Amino acid sequence: MFTGIVTGTGTVTGITTDPGKGLAVLTLKAPGHTQDLGLGGSLAVNGVCLTATALDGDTLSVDVMGETLERTTTGQLAEGSTVNLERCTPAGARLDGHVVQGHVDAVGSVLAREDHGQWTTFRISVPDAYAPLTAEKGSIALDGISLTLTAVSPADAPAGGHWVEVGIIPITLSETTMGSRRVGDRINIEVDVLAKYVARLNAFGGRN
């Protein structure tokens, strides 16, 4: 489990794909994030929970399966890409953000960015299926960053027209990849896990 409080950024130093196996091996330089990690340890990379398969100092490798490549922006990373990093949350630690599983639901795009001096507003597209799982003042993880929704599209928005908005303060812009995000950039989305379970229960009509 993660909290969506990004603790630093890393750099992609290599990526190898095996189309036949639907697998990619991603190598990352992750200063400050490999100490005590251990093989098999979890690290959120742009909000995607990945498992360390090799370690060498502050460099690690992770295997990325086809499902993850299809449902996240991981497959679009290239050598030199900057990524958000977060280690999993230890028991007893403060939950400064919200419950983030590292299980990305979908990918959205930056529709608008507006700078207000002391904060910046981003509007992000959301696939229709996930729009009902968002709510104003609710939580969302964008590229692994725990954020509060400041606005959401109306329920009767046309198909393909749903969006969410977040306001981001300067320190988050400077310490994460959000500072470099521009209109058209794609972003990993993980909606609040509580909303997903409520929706699933409703789909069964309250049946046990």
Side-chain angles (χ1 to χ4, degrees):
M1 190 191 83
F2 306 92
T3 67
I5 304 300
V6 170
T7 48
T9 58
T11 305
V12 176
T13 57
I15 184 165
T16 304
T17 59
D18 187 338
K21 295 182 179 179
L23 180 74
V25 177
L26 194 68
T27 304
L28 305 165
K29 192 171 185 61
H33 290 78
T34 58
Q35 186 176 13
D36 301 325
L37 177 59
L39 294 178
S42 297
L43 183 72
V45 180
N46 277 353
V48 183
C49 179
L50 297 172
T51 300
T53 57
L55 291 162
D56 181 11
D58 61 5
T59 297
L60 73 152
S61 295
V62 295
D63 291 345
V64 187
M65 62 182 180
E67 168 78 2
T68 304
L69 293 172
E70 291 178 5
R71 297 192 61 162
T72 75
T73 61
T74 308
Q76 300 171 10
L77 295 174
E79 188 172 341
S81 295
T82 301
V83 293
N84 295 323
L85 301 175
E86 182 190 356
R87 289 283 302 274
C88 56
T89 305
R94 291 186 178 89
L95 188 63
D96 289 326
H98 73 285
V99 175
V100 176
Q101 295 180 299
H103 303 162
V104 169
D105 296 300
V107 174
S109 297
V110 178
L111 300 176
R113 171 177 175 157
E114 186 175 357
D115 295 310
H116 304 280
Q118 295 303 311
W119 78 94
T120 300
T121 300
F122 287 84
R123 178 173 288 195
I124 312 292
S125 66
V126 175
D128 295 345
Y130 293 99
L133 306 181
T134 63
E136 186 175 336
K137 303 306 179 186
S139 297
I140 197 168
L142 299 179
D143 274 349
I145 308 165
S146 175
L147 296 166
T148 300
L149 296 170
T150 56
V152 296
S153 56
D156 60 356
H162 285 285
W163 49 265
V164 296
E165 285 188 357
V166 293
I168 300 183
I169 59 176
I171 191 169
T172 304
L173 290 175
S174 64
E175 297 297 323
T176 73
T177 58
M178 288 303 292
S180 63
R181 292 291 180 245
R182 298 293 181 266
V183 172
D185 287 351
R186 305 184 75 209
I187 289 182
N188 291 325
I189 297 172
E190 181 184 332
V191 297
D192 194 330
V193 64
L194 298 179
K196 286 188 276 190
Y197 277 113
V198 170
R200 181 65 172 167
L201 287 169
N202 286 338
F204 279 86
R207 300 192 304 272
N208 292 325

